[in-house]
Amino acid sequence: MSTTTNSSMDALSQGLLELLESHDPAVAAILSDEADRQRTTLELIASENHVSPQVMHAMGSWMTNKYAEGYPGARYYGGCEHYDLVENLACDRAKELFGCNFANVQPHSGANANIAAFMALLAPGDKVLSLPIKSGGHLSHGLKPNFSGTFFEIHEYDLDPDTEQLDYDVIAKIAEEVQPKLIICGYSAYPRIIDFERFRSIADSVGAFLMADIAHIAGLVAAGVHPSPFPHAHVVTTTTHKTLRGPRGGLVLSDDEEIAKKVDRKVFPGSQGGPLMHMVAAKAIAFQEALQPSFRNYSRAVVDNAAALAESLVSHGYRLCSGGTENHLMLVDLRTRDSELTGADAEQWLESAGIITNKNGIPNDPRSPRVTSGLRLGTPALTTRGLGVGEMKEVAALLDRVMGSHGDAATCEAVRKDVRSLCDRFPLPH
Ligand code: DSN
């Protein structure tokens, strides 16, 4: 494929493709094709988004060239004056955004943020109580092959089998029996509001720390459209690239001075070396964007769009786990539309029609994680493009045409055309 630029593409992106075209045509073609893929497909993966051109280009800036191990004012390399400034700016903005006293912006990812939080709060072998990944938790909350499941004693709470929602009374009883040192809330596939205050009272009743991993809902929390984990959680971890719409990366927050000191030590030198300062610069920009009133409107629209998409899917005969959504995502139980339908098939058919989703296990899923009976859908990326409640009906109809036809090639091709024209109506800025 030859590299192409597009009229909606920003000048720096066009310049990058031109720079690369003669320098490294193979990579230029791949980047160009990826830009084209993003421009012409509908992104419904709940954990993905489209960053602003400013955030995107900051990631490709001069700041990639530096080692800045340590923290502002205490680095292990010379030449760090601008890195100190940008890291302090990112920390200050993160604290303002989430209303807390401490931020560490160095974790390379959400999983890295969780490693640092575990190391700050626990000793190897300590008991942790969390929701398993099969019910919507995250692998870094205790999955056996992960560091968390390898070095700590993991105990589980689960969703109520009837409501498919958290049952705080049951969680309190399990905590009483297990006596964990750490309770984790915050999930990857839970469509409901989390009651952080209730979680803290459960943690207090057994003398446990409470960690809230708000990776999925961070943008909603920052915008005030989901309750904040502060002042309830002892430590809050998150990614910066999902609803928060920043660069890929992690972040640890706290209000507790002692925990904050430990977190800093456990990020560096505990679990990371040199921070990715180009990503820290991009985080600073994204936090500033999220502090603007327009981000509140965006986040409200993400939630409204999710509700509208959920309602339309139900009208097409799909059951939603837990009965609906209160945040940016929903889990669709495909079996209610068609008992043969699997998440793996649906994901593949939809991709051929230009709709990007991920198969996802549903609570008590009889199928394996590679097959699944569910699809996880989210609205952060579509909302960034400018699609609104009206368009969610169109999106639900497109989803249903593909899945209802069992991936029929002609139907997928026809839907692909409709997806392209919907994308043309809502162009990306880069
Ligand atoms: N992989 C992310 C998600 O899709 O939810 C979680 O880390």
Side-chain angles (χ1 to χ4, degrees), residues 160-407:
D160 179 88
D162 296 324
T163 64
E164 298 172 322
Q165 297 191 35
L166 298 167
D167 182 331
Y168 296 92
D169 292 335
V170 172
I171 297 168
K173 278 196 195 119
I174 297 171
E176 185 62 34
E177 283 160 24
V178 170
Q179 294 289 311
K181 182 109 182 264
L182 174 68
I183 298 177
I184 303 178
C185 60
Y187 315 100
S188 295
Y190 186 65
R192 296 288 170 176
I193 298 285
I194 301 165
D195 186 342
F196 295 116
E197 190 173 359
R198 185 73 207 277
F199 261 112
R200 175 60 184 259
S201 76
I202 294 169
D204 283 348
S205 73
V206 295
F209 291 117
L210 178 64
M211 174 176 130
D213 179 344
I214 61 167
H216 261 265
I217 55 171
L220 309 184
V221 168
V225 301
H226 186 290
S228 172
F230 290 110
H232 311 298
H234 294 93
V235 67
V236 174
T237 59
T238 183
T239 54
T240 47
H241 49 270
K242 298 185 175 100
T243 49
L244 195 49
R245 209 165 55 180
R248 304 197 76 76
L251 174 66
V252 186
L253 305 162
S254 185
D255 260 343
D256 183 306
E257 218 174 297
E258 287 310 306
I259 291 174
K261 279 187 210 147
K262 286 184 189 161
V263 166
D264 272 350
R265 294 281 302 156
K266 298 306 179 184
V267 172
F268 175 83
S271 56
Q272 291 190 170
L276 307 176
M277 294 307 295
H278 53 308
M279 307 305 273
V280 170
K283 285 175 189 176
I285 296 167
F287 299 155
Q288 182 71 352
E289 290 177 357
L291 282 163
Q292 305 311 308
S294 56
F295 191 79
R296 183 177 284 260
N297 298 338
Y298 160 71
S299 301
R300 168 52 57 202
V302 167
V303 174
D304 290 347
N305 279 345
L309 182 61
E311 193 184 320
S312 286
L313 286 168
V314 168
S315 76
H316 283 285
Y318 297 89
R319 186 185 82 83
L320 300 181
C321 298
S322 85
T325 176
E326 294 168 333
N327 59 20
H328 63 298
L329 69 79
M330 65 213 72
L331 255 187
V332 187
D333 180 351
L334 299 170
R335 300 168 306 179
T336 50
R337 177 71 169 76
D338 173 346
S339 62
E340 299 297 309
L341 203 52
T342 71
D345 282 341
E347 178 190 305
Q348 196 187 335
W349 298 335
L350 287 164
E351 183 167 351
S352 74
I355 303 174
I356 312 302
T357 63
N358 70 278
K359 60 183 166 293
N360 211 102
I362 58 173
N364 297 310
D365 200 324
R367 294 181 173 130
S368 81
R370 288 188 190 278
V371 180
T372 81
S373 305
L375 264 193
R376 187 185 65 165
L377 302 176
T379 53
L382 295 188
T383 310
T384 292
R385 286 189 95 115
L387 278 77
V389 164
E391 285 77 35
M392 291 305 120
K393 278 193 186 143
E394 288 180 55
V395 172
L398 294 170
L399 286 160
D400 189 51
R401 269 166 70 195
V402 172
M403 292 193 283
S405 77
H406 269 225

